[in-house]
Amino acid sequence: MTLSVRHLNGDATFLLTFSPKEDTRNSTGYSTTANHFSILLDPWLSGDSTIYHRKFALAKHTVPCSIDHLSEIPPPNVVLISQEKSDHCHEETLRQLEPSLRHTTILAQPTAAKKIRGWKYFNPSKVLALPIYSERRPDSVLRFCLPCQVPGGIPGEVTIAFINAKLDMTGLHNAIALTYRPPSVVPSFEPTTAFYNHDFGLSELDLPLQGSPFLEQMPPTPPESPRSTTEFSPPLSPRAGSFFPATTTSSISSAVTSISAYSPSRPKTMSVLYSPHGIAYSNILPYARNHLVPNAALPLTLLLHAFDRVQNVWYLGGNISTGMQGGLELAQSLLARYWISAHDEDKESSGFSIKNCVTRKHTLDEVKTLVKDGRQGSRAQIDVMVLDCGAETVIEVPDTQIRVRERTAPQPSWPLT
């Protein structure tokens, strides 16, 4: 299976495309594989970004976007909005989507969802607030079912969870966590198949809202495979790239966790964490323990996180972006295989709120050096990357290994229909 990561602007707009096998491309360079699942992150293509008022905070792109209009890419299955600020929730860009959202669902941070619905432009039933993740609420992880490839096979699944930082007055520090398990390509004889015997076409994807038949047919979390054979014992030292830091009081730091081994009937699971402003790993820990581990979704496939640290005065929010150090904590703790810079564009900014804002920029070489220094005694093998605007990386997960293939940016001309 593959994960295509295409950077559409110089900042935090990415198009993620999950495919069950190596995808084919049309003349525009975009995936045409059946059953692929695409997610558009925080689209901002043209126009300014204003927070509250132009005199308070105004930002402009300094790097031309790789596309001029969202019609130049295939309609994504999901558009994810991480916060209500206009550099993430950009009205002019979002209005480039068709109002009916026939092929797309917008999932947004709760305040952002309210803001988008207030425009009265989109079909309100397709603009939904992301529930805040809670380990006590299984329905706080949203699930999309992908249809079986063969009779008797196990359907695939995409999950989306929104994790916010506790006591964060700015509302900036959060993360959106994704997992993707493709449909099986061979019939399954596992006892758990009964949970997955309902076929949902991509055109009929519905969110698992409370009370829906979909939620009743699926277990709260995928059941552990009775054929689990691989034991994983997390290291204890956070400095050694620990899976669960020693600072936590959870008994899991000393427990042995069983993870399902790969089998053709139950494919591997890819995982992505998108946190443009950063978030402390202590906020991610419950999700890692209760979702990533049972779903055999570790090591983390991809971390999208800023390199640059941004600090403002305390009365204007204090820390704006945790930058390199915050990303390293997440990457090491989740054993990330890839870390791609996000939200690091050197924008043209003005306004009262940024006068005392200090940005500590970090180059790719600096981050690679920090990662290399932190690898001693660690099992984390992190490849750090910067994608230029319009560039694409394809992460391939065959049976047991991950490899990367880079593509240059095509000149898209997706037809209007």
Side-chain angles (χ1 to χ4, degrees), residues 72-316:
E72 297 175 30
I73 63 174
N77 295 102
V78 170
V79 175
L80 285 176
I81 306 298
S82 63
Q83 58 177 271
E84 82 281 3
K85 306 295 190 299
S86 60
D87 55 339
H88 299 267
C89 181
H90 193 257
E91 181 175 359
E92 182 179 341
T93 300
L94 286 172
R95 283 177 179 265
Q96 296 174 6
L97 297 167
E98 60 176 359
S100 66
L101 296 174
R102 184 174 40 147
H103 302 291
T104 302
T105 298
I106 296 177
L107 298 177
Q109 178 258 6
T111 306
K114 182 178 179 180
K115 178 179 179 180
I116 295 169
R117 286 195 293 264
W119 300 338
K120 301 187 183 302
Y121 180 77
F122 295 112
N123 176 354
S125 67
K126 302 298 290 292
V127 179
L128 302 173
L130 285 163
I132 296 173
Y133 174 77
S134 170
E135 56 190 310
R136 297 181 180 86
R137 292 180 51 237
D139 61 347
S140 63
V141 176
L142 302 182
R143 301 174 184 273
F144 291 84
C145 188
L146 306 178
C148 297
Q149 300 290 289
V150 294
I154 300 175
E157 183 182 63
V158 173
T159 72
I160 302 174
F162 176 74
I163 305 165
N164 68 340
K166 298 176 181 177
L167 304 177
D168 176 30
M169 301 301 294
T170 65
L172 296 174
H173 299 287
N174 60 43
I176 295 178
L178 313 170
T179 66
Y180 168 78
R181 189 189 67 242
S184 62
V185 295
V186 297
S188 172
F189 301 98
E190 298 183 20
T192 57
T193 304
F195 288 111
Y196 298 92
N197 60 358
H198 297 276
D199 221 4
F200 291 82
L202 282 175
S203 61
E204 301 172 282
L205 281 175
D206 290 319
L207 284 173
L209 301 178
Q210 191 169 12
S212 71
F214 180 80
L215 196 60
E216 296 169 2
Q217 293 160 356
M218 298 289 285
T221 56
E224 295 183 12
S225 168
R227 303 187 302 107
S228 298
T229 58
T230 303
E231 289 189 331
F232 181 74
S233 180
L236 298 180
S237 170
R239 293 184 180 275
S242 66
F243 180 62
F244 297 110
T247 53
T248 178
T249 57
S250 172
S251 60
I252 200 165
S253 62
S254 59
V256 176
T257 304
S258 294
I259 296 181
S260 301
Y262 165 82
S263 71
S265 62
R266 184 176 292 278
K268 296 172 70 69
T269 300
M270 301 181 92
S271 51
V272 177
L273 189 71
Y274 171 62
S275 185
H277 289 265
I279 188 171
Y281 177 65
S282 58
N283 295 292
I284 303 295
L285 175 59
Y287 172 80
R289 180 177 53 214
N290 293 282
H291 188 76
L292 293 181
V293 170
N295 283 279
L298 291 170
L300 185 76
T301 307
L302 172 65
L303 173 67
L304 293 166
H305 191 286
F307 290 176
D308 300 339
R309 179 178 177 84
V310 183
Q311 190 74 25
N312 210 338
V313 292
W314 68 268
Y315 55 85
L316 289 175

Side-chain angles (χ1 to χ4, degrees), residues 273 279-281 284 303 305 326-335:
L273 189 71
I279 188 171
Y281 177 65
I284 303 295
L303 173 67
H305 191 286
L328 181 66
E329 179 196 23
L330 293 173
Q332 287 189 328
S333 299
L334 296 171
L335 306 176

